[in-house]
Amino acid sequence: MGGREEIMVPRAMGPTISPAWGNFRLAPTRKPVRIKKFKASSRKIMRDPSPTEMSAEPWASPQNQAAAEHSVCTPQPSQDQEQHPDQLCFESFWSELETIKQGGDYPDPDSARRDSRQSDGEQEEQWLVDVGLSNLISEDSENVENTLLLSTLTRTQAEAVQRRVDTYTMSHRKRNKQRHVREVFDTSFNQDLSDSQHSEELAKNSMTSVSKSAPEDEIFMTDVAYCEQAVILLKQAKLTQNNIQRRREDGTLPRVICPKCRLGVTRIQDLSHADVKKVRQLALIDMTALCDLIGLEVKRHKMAKRKMPESPLFGVPLATLLENDQKMDPATTTPLLLQKLFAFLEDKGVDSEGILRVPGSLSRIKSLQQDLEADFYAGRFKWDEVRPNDAATVLKKFIRELPAPLLTAEYLNTFSAVRDITELKQKLHMLNLLILLLPEPNRNTLKALLEFLNKVVSHEKRNRMNLWAVATIMAPNLFLHKTVPSRLTEGAEKGQVEKAADVMRLLIRYQDLLWTIPNFVMNQVRKLNENSSRRYQFYDRRFKNLLRKIHADSKEKPDKNTSEACRTVKIQIGDRVNGTMDFKVNKDSRASDLLTQFEKKGLRQRNGSMSSWDLYEVGGNIGERRLDCDTHLLDLYNSNSGGEWVLKIKPKASKGL
């Protein structure tokens, strides 16, 4: 099938394990590689999961969105792509670990554990702070912000919150001094039984029908919360455990199709900072609920303060480095040094055989690093004399020497734990949520790195670096950090090396998909903003009355125009609105049509040049969102009639030094 596999739905969710990974033990490359099968033990969920809450219209039904023009597909795996890493990949993996150890970047398990030691109560308290529900464990638990956030959660997400509050309460033995969070949840999710059953049936039908439409592809559905999809798979596993066709464990990666919502794809960089904060809170809740269901234990770590290096480039916190770089180039979102390294390697290195694998000269690398620190910002550095393998080694060294992991100390081990999930879609669900949780500098830098690695893979015929080779080389550099106890692997078993590189492989292959915000999260953000804008009308210290009024108000919305409408679009240049235009919206109108009509008017800048423009929705139930060109504007109008449409000039891309 050319690297694609046939699947059947419904199917059982595969068993998962939660191993206690130990410290690292380096194996010499000359040691024979033993093949060890990975045995997973099934985990029983001793509770009856509640029904899912489906996203309301206009989120498109996957049944109607599987057509080619509405599909977002990941690139097809190369016909030449190996299904498993070869012996050279194994040797390169252990060689890379040895290089990291010799360079002093190998984790010190004892010191890392001392820095990250937290009790269960502290873990749960920090988690509640991160999701914006810290008041649930304080004396002032009757907080309207808590209520508004809880009112947007699905039942499985709410259960995850409740478990954290219960753990915190038990840890501090304060049950009798605090109001129990169950009192809030009982009012927040008092749904009509028939509505709940209807929602669950819609979710099941959507998941089944989409999969039947393309049996050779994976359908990545985002209308239903990922944790609720896991609940459905668990129920199906109990009913049809012996009749499910399992995915062949041959290492291939299928094409993944993500049906588009009629409101368009929303990427994390398309939202305002205020909405991104809400996205991160909701993503953390859903990820935690998903981990509870599939049996992954997530322990986050905090790092002790460390002495800052004197170098202006290496070992500098990513946020600090970007802050300094933005003084020179305000538009930059990734460190200028990385931009230059990527540009140099794309020009001189992607065709070099063994790039990333073959190390550079130690003496030249040391000299190169010193020259960069002395001359890079002064603009005196000469790239003509740099060898590609030396630049690639410096690139990996830069990532390893960051004072905090690129994947952050909080979530580094959660990224690593993804390798023990057996279902591909659930691996992608976890990675999608984890990407949304990363701070903006880390997320942008990781994206730039993965785009470069994808270009290396695309030149496989010349550089002999396929996806497995790139993944096995880069995995230790990304998932090992001297400040965090590692969960990567120990020993030289073939299966362990494969799984250590598997997460890296998924990040490279499916990166475009992973940087999008799931539809169910966007729907929750809109509900949260909508309820927040009306809270002054319904503010009541009693949670029950507040939630009832919000729920009743949402049901009494007047029907919106479903045929056509005329919208006034603001034209904004810089911080000022310089004009307006009228646009007639019908059921077929898309954002691209509005942009085309606007460009025909020939609006030019003062210097006479034409500019590229983006269309945004601002206000209403969203802070600010840049629209995908395929957004159906009538659906957008019906979804957010209180918002404005604004045309803005596209920001210029960073050019580096």
Side-chain angles (χ1 to χ4, degrees), residues 592-646:
S592 57
D593 300 326
L594 191 154
L595 290 169
T596 300
Q597 178 176 317
F598 174 69
E599 290 172 356
K600 286 181 179 179
K601 294 180 179 292
L603 184 63
R604 297 177 180 270
Q605 293 186 11
R606 293 178 181 178
N607 58 9
S609 63
M610 290 293 294
S611 298
S612 297
W613 296 77
D614 283 322
L615 180 62
Y616 291 77
E617 61 166 325
V618 181
N621 58 26
I622 204 77
E624 180 177 285
R625 170 178 172 253
R626 181 169 53 190
L627 298 182
D628 177 34
C629 287
D630 288 331
T631 301
H632 288 71
L633 294 179
L634 186 59
D635 293 273
L636 178 67
Y637 171 73
N638 291 333
S639 173
N640 187 16
S641 58
E644 296 181 328
W645 296 355
V646 181

Side-chain angles (χ1 to χ4, degrees), residues 144-145 148 151-152 525-540 545-558 560 620-621 639-641:
V144 68
E145 296 291 346
L148 295 174
S151 67
T152 67
V525 169
R526 289 183 184 275
K527 287 180 180 177
L528 184 56
N529 288 334
E530 196 171 66
N531 291 344
S532 296
S533 65
R534 298 197 308 269
R535 64 181 175 177
Y536 67 91
Q537 302 176 26
F538 311 114
Y539 186 80
D540 192 328
N545 291 343
L546 173 61
L547 290 172
R548 281 180 176 174
K549 289 176 180 179
I550 290 178
H551 184 64
D553 183 73
S554 64
K555 284 190 172 182
E556 294 171 2
K557 289 180 181 178
K560 299 185 181 70
N621 58 26
S639 173
N640 187 16
S641 58

Side-chain angles (χ1 to χ4, degrees), residues 362-376:
L362 290 178
S363 59
R364 289 199 307 267
I365 291 168
K366 184 177 181 180
S367 177
L368 175 58
Q369 183 173 341
Q370 292 173 347
D371 291 344
L372 284 169
E373 291 171 344
D375 300 331
F376 178 74

Side-chain angles (χ1 to χ4, degrees), residues 504-519:
M504 194 74 225
R505 190 172 62 124
L506 297 177
L507 287 171
I508 297 171
R509 176 66 72 192
Y510 300 114
Q511 56 182 284
D512 290 338
L513 180 70
L514 300 178
W515 259 257
T516 61
I517 302 177
N519 293 343

Side-chain angles (χ1 to χ4, degrees), residues 22 104 108 143 215 257 345 367 519:
D108 177 2
N143 182 280
I257 298 177
L345 288 169
S367 177
N519 293 343

Side-chain angles (χ1 to χ4, degrees), residues 135-151:
N135 283 335
L136 289 177
I137 57 175
S138 67
E139 294 181 0
D140 184 22
S141 60
E142 292 189 357
N143 182 280
V144 68
E145 296 291 346
N146 290 340
T147 309
L148 295 174
L149 178 57
L150 293 171
S151 67

